[in-house]
Structures are given as structure tokens and as C-alpha cells.
Amino acid sequence: AHSFPLFKHATPLVFDLHPGDVLFIPHHWWHHVVCISDAAISTNLWIPLEADAHDRLSEAVVQCLTGVFERSDGNNNDTP
């Protein structure tokens, strides 16, 4: 919270995608995706940047922490 004081003012964007829709997420945009149907296709494209090594480490830490919080509140929609 100290590193990102403006985060408390952030407003989440929520989208429902339908067959044929595409969601483009720009570089450095944090996101969380939940599939509520039986099937989905997801692809990632990384354009190499100098900051990637640091960014990938930071993203991995956030994903681990997010997983811990989801499991602790019992609201894990990714589990079949």
C-alpha cells in the first residue's frame, strides 16, 4: 500500500466477453480473468523489453499472493 498510494482510488473494469470477442490487455496492465463457460482460448504475446525480467518476477509474486488470498477466502472460481 505504501508503494502504490493511488491504488486506493483505482476502479476495476469488468467485462463479459461473448463468442467472437477479443480482449487486448496492454503491457503492464494488471488483470485477472475468470472463465465462466466450459471452454475458452487464451493466448499471450510478449514483445521483448528490457524491463521484462523484473516485470516477470513481480508478476509471479503477485500471482502467488493472489492465489493465496483466493484459496483463503474459499472463492476460487478457477477450480473445476
Side-chain angles (χ1 to χ4, degrees):
H2 292 70
S3 299
F4 305 99
L6 297 178
F7 183 74
K8 63 184 173 188
H9 301 292
T11 303
L13 301 174
V14 178
F15 298 93
D16 290 328
L17 300 180
H18 303 280
D21 289 348
V22 173
L23 175 62
F24 171 77
I25 302 169
H27 187 66
H28 288 286
W29 278 42
W30 292 104
H31 59 282
H32 178 78
V33 178
V34 175
C35 178
I36 57 174
S37 68
D38 293 334
I41 297 174
S42 176
T43 61
N44 293 307
L45 173 66
W46 286 80
I47 299 171
L49 299 173
E50 287 184 28
D52 281 350
H54 179 266
D55 292 342
R56 286 183 178 148
L57 176 60
S58 296
E59 184 173 340
V61 169
V62 169
Q63 287 178 354
C64 287
L65 291 174
T66 302
V68 167
F69 292 133
E70 284 182 349
R71 285 189 298 278
S72 68
D73 72 5
N75 184 19
N76 187 353
N77 294 328
D78 297 336
T79 303

